């Protein structure tokens, strides 16, 4: 009976340790955002809140010129990923996302993420603090962009059951190994 209680106690301690490590060590960035700036929600941007450079406004939307740029200034937040919802004339176009991390910095190729944008919803992982954001959709003229919605996604809780179970197994194996190393109990003889 005492042995069974010891097993349950070991499993409970392992489960608590696994959950605590998963939440507060592996997901530290998620909880740090609440300490630094309060609750951060996803930030949506509509086409009216973006600056279109080398685009021509028409009644159907925006038509791209050479080197079309869509810019959002003063983002000032950690961005885990960018979700773009595009309504455009092409099925897919090459897309480059540039970002800056400091005030007064210019957009460079060192801080660029290359991707492909499809008509519909697109998600691009960023994973850095972003000061300003720039999106280049294609490099050619004539792309009709009927609508664009952009959502900056902050940190998300990434709870991994596999890591929590691994910690539980490690604690259980540690308990088993230490029980095998116990002295034989000569004083009972």
């Amino acid at each position: 009976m005492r042995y069974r209680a010891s097993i349950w106690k070991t499993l409970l301690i392992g489960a608590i340790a696994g959950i605590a490590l998963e939440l507060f060590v592996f997901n530290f960035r998620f909880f740090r955002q609440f300490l630094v700036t309060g609750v951060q929600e996803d930030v949506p941007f509509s086409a009216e809140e973006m600056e279109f450079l080398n685009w021509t406004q028409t009644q159907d939307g925006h038509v791209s010129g050479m080197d079309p740029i869509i810019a959002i200034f003063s983002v000032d937040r950690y961005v885990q990923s960018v979700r773009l919802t595009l309504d455009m004339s092409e099925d897919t176009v090459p897309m480059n996302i540039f970002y800056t991390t400091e005030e007064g910095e210019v957009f460079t190729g060192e801080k660029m993420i290359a991707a492909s944008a499809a008509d519909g919803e697109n998600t691009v992982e960023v994973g850095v603090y972003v000061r300003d954001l720039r999106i280049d959709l294609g490099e050619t003229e004539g792309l009709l962009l009927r609508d664009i919605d952009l959502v900056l996604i902050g940190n998300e809780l990434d709870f991994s059951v596999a890591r929590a179970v691994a910690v539980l197994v490690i604690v259980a194996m540690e308990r088993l190994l230490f029980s095998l190393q116990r002295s034989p109990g000569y004083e009972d003889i």
Side-chain angles (χ1 to χ4, degrees), residues 70-108:
I70 302 170
I72 302 171
F73 297 104
S74 300
V75 172
D76 292 329
R77 62 175 279 131
Y78 178 85
V79 177
Q80 181 66 36
S81 59
V82 173
R83 186 173 57 231
L84 276 167
T85 306
L86 302 169
D87 183 8
M88 58 186 177
S89 60
E90 301 289 326
D91 289 336
T92 59
V93 294
M95 174 175 63
N96 294 319
I97 296 179
F98 295 88
Y99 59 91
T100 63
T101 55
E102 299 173 7
E103 189 173 346
E105 185 178 9
V106 296
F107 295 111
T108 64

Side-chain angles (χ1 to χ4, degrees), residues 2 43 46 81 85:
R2 194 174 125 191
V43 179
S46 64
S81 59
T85 306

